[in-house]
Amino acid sequence: MEMPTATVKMRGPDGMEHMESVVGKGPVDACYKAVDRIIKSPVNLLDYSVSAVTEGIDALAVTRVSIESTDERLTYESASGLTRKRTFTAQASDTDIVVSSTRAYVNALSKMLTVLKSSQVSS
């Protein structure tokens, strides 16, 4: 029985270096779960897509992700009067799909955390 595992080492929002190892449903899921443990800011993955930019065994993969924060500070009222959650989209590329996917996810999280941080400053 396979147990896709990822170990992620990165700086968290606190500026400290963290390392997490997590088992997931696949290698990308394991990486995302490890990043989530480090970031500690729950999100919903809305969209995930991978496309090849080049051909062959060393093809460059471009990954695009969209996330939605569960933090109430990132909601807004739409023109129709509905309360919506803010979404953040990012992309990354690499010859390794797992690396490309993780970088795109981290880029989207970084955008979200920047907005959260600026909303704390202006409050």
Side-chain angles (χ1 to χ4, degrees), residues 67-87:
I67 60 171
E68 171 185 82
S69 175
T70 59
D71 192 311
E72 291 299 318
R73 294 173 291 173
L74 293 176
T75 58
Y76 65 95
E77 191 172 315
S78 69
S80 61
L82 297 173
T83 300
R84 303 237 186 234
K85 294 180 180 177
R86 180 133 183 224
T87 61

Side-chain angles (χ1 to χ4, degrees), residues 6 8 10 26-36 43 45 47-52 59-67 88-110:
V8 174
M10 64 184 279
V28 173
D29 180 57
C31 284
Y32 282 19
K33 286 178 178 178
V35 169
D36 287 343
V43 297
L45 180 64
D47 187 50
Y48 171 86
S49 64
V50 178
S51 57
L60 188 65
V62 174
T63 306
R64 182 178 182 275
V65 298
S66 292
I67 60 171
F88 301 88
T89 302
Q91 66 181 28
S93 58
D94 198 274
T95 53
D96 184 322
I97 290 174
V98 177
V99 172
S100 174
S101 298
T102 305
R103 285 182 180 159
Y105 189 61
V106 168
N107 290 344
L109 286 168
S110 181

